[in-house]
Amino acid sequence: KRFNNIGYRRILSISFVTALMTLAAISVLILFTTPATAIQDDTPPIQTIELGTPKIEDVYNAGGVWLDLIGSQTPVWINSSDRESGTEYIHYELFYSDHFGDWNKYGDYTVYDNQDTGDPFTTDIDPTDGSISIKIYFDFSCFHEIHAVCFNDYGYQDTDTSDFLVDADGPSNEEFTYVGPTYYVEGDV
């Protein structure tokens, strides 16, 4: 009787292993014969340039377009995302001017998805694959302009431009000396 139990267990064990191997073979067959879904992306990524706070809106009329005023501690974001294939990179240029429209280029940058250089002008702070977010600050007072172009993985692009004013100078308190008669008030004031 003891021999029959061992034999029966061995047959069950062999049957179980055979069943597992059959399931594994079927899984591999399904895995390699199922067609892959192709992504077709024929739309450009979505891009924005956003001014953070503190910000004063509509302080300067530049030929019918009102510009906002920000300070040196105000973040400026250049963002891009693409739900289909993802944003591959953003290329942007920075311009400044003491007089609106007389632009001088002072920066030309390219930022790739999930790139981290340690430099805020060339680092993507959004860890999501396919989305890029650049956060920068401007530390000198004048007009500024950003030209940005973002590209998705299929080469489609979106462009955006933003003009704004920066006041990076703190408030001043100049002392004035008053020369003239001094009046004193007596009694309850």
Side-chain angles (χ1 to χ4, degrees):
K1 218 174 186 182
R2 187 174 175 122
F3 180 72
N4 288 339
N5 284 342
I6 292 173
Y8 181 69
R9 286 184 192 153
R10 190 171 288 159
I11 291 172
L12 282 177
S13 178
I14 292 171
S15 296
F16 181 71
V17 169
T18 305
L20 283 178
M21 289 175 56
T22 304
L23 284 174
I26 292 171
S27 297
V28 168
L29 184 62
I30 291 172
L31 179 66
F32 289 110
T33 59
T34 304
T37 305
I39 297 174
Q40 182 170 345
D41 185 359
D42 55 0
T43 59
I46 297 169
Q47 178 172 278
T48 60
I49 299 174
E50 301 173 32
L51 305 178
T53 57
K55 167 178 68 175
I56 303 172
E57 296 181 350
D58 302 334
V59 296
Y60 182 82
N61 186 345
V65 177
W66 286 93
L67 304 182
D68 296 339
L69 174 68
I70 64 171
S72 60
Q73 299 302 311
T74 304
V76 176
W77 287 279
I78 305 170
N79 303 305
S80 179
S81 63
D82 189 315
R83 287 184 170 198
E84 306 282 329
S85 64
T87 298
E88 183 178 2
Y89 67 93
I90 295 175
H91 179 82
Y92 69 101
E93 300 171 327
L94 303 176
F95 299 86
Y96 75 94
S97 175
D98 289 331
H99 305 284
F100 184 79
D102 298 332
W103 299 112
N104 300 296
K105 184 175 176 179
Y106 69 94
D108 191 341
Y109 306 97
T110 300
V111 179
Y112 289 89
D113 188 22
N114 295 320
Q115 174 177 309
D116 185 359
T117 64
D119 177 0
F121 288 90
T122 57
T123 294
D124 173 14
I125 63 170
D126 185 342
T128 308
D129 285 337
S131 295
I132 299 175
S133 187
I134 306 160
K135 181 180 179 183
I136 54 179
Y137 295 88
F138 294 86
D139 61 357
F140 54 99
S141 299
C142 63
F143 294 97
H144 290 267
E145 184 170 81
I146 300 173
H147 293 203
V149 183
C150 63
F151 296 85
N152 69 9
D153 292 334
Y154 288 94
Y156 292 102
Q157 67 185 37
D158 187 23
T159 60
D160 200 2
T161 300
S162 181
D163 297 315
F164 51 94
L165 280 161
V166 174
D167 180 3
D169 302 322
S172 64
N173 183 9
E174 297 179 17
E175 291 186 28
F176 294 95
T177 305
Y178 175 73
V179 179
T182 304
Y183 298 97
Y184 297 95
V185 177
E186 292 183 22
D188 293 337
V189 179

